[in-house]
Amino acid sequence: MKNGHRGLLGLTTFLVAGQTLMIGLYSFLFAPMYFQGVDPEDEESAGGAPETALAWTAAAMAVGLAAVAANTWSVRRMTRAVRDRSSAARSLTTAIAVQVMVVAGAVRLAWLPAVAASLAVLLPLLLCRTLDRRTFGA
């Protein structure tokens, strides 16, 4: 692993860790508040039915937990790959899959800042995966 590849993998690891923190904050703090009727602009808004709010909150937390767990595993493995100068193929592939899901969800919700941030994380992941394939094969 060359120093440029190692540096890019370190930067990408940092970006994925930051994205994991943001996914966790959104899934466990902001989404439940929003679904319970607390709007960012207003003190309170007229929320939907409690059953619907609870279902959306549970779904946001479940998806958030899965994304945070997968990204935490990926960050741990990518950190080890930077330190040991070894392949990070599986962890990069997992992080790419999570980022594709985040991009798809943000596009579905028409949330442009989240799309831009997720693409900014996805592009270095794809570049690292390409460099990893070139360096270590498969």
Side-chain angles (χ1 to χ4, degrees):
M1 179 184 294
K2 294 182 181 178
N3 285 336
H5 179 191
R6 189 173 181 204
L8 182 63
L9 185 58
L11 173 67
T12 303
T13 302
F14 177 74
L15 290 173
V16 171
Q19 183 79 359
T20 303
L21 179 64
M22 295 309 295
I23 290 170
L25 280 173
Y26 179 77
S27 298
F28 299 112
L29 181 65
F30 300 129
M33 287 173 41
Y34 179 73
F35 293 132
Q36 297 300 324
V38 179
D39 208 354
E41 289 85 25
D42 303 328
E43 187 81 14
E44 285 192 36
S45 64
E51 299 84 24
T52 305
L54 183 62
W56 280 108
T57 301
M61 291 179 121
V63 170
L65 180 64
V68 167
N71 271 352
T72 302
W73 178 83
S74 295
V75 166
R76 184 171 177 252
R77 299 287 298 190
M78 285 189 284
T79 303
R80 185 176 294 157
V82 169
R83 187 184 61 222
D84 298 340
R85 295 181 180 252
S86 59
S87 176
R90 285 184 14 205
S91 57
L92 286 168
T93 303
T94 302
I96 288 169
V98 170
Q99 287 304 325
V100 167
M101 289 187 326
V102 169
V103 169
V107 166
R108 169 74 173 92
L109 296 173
W111 194 12
L112 190 60
V115 172
S118 297
L119 287 175
V121 175
L122 183 60
L123 294 176
L125 280 168
L126 291 170
L127 183 58
C128 279
R129 182 65 178 108
T130 302
L131 289 172
D132 199 79
R133 184 176 294 141
R134 226 182 261 168
T135 304
F136 298 105

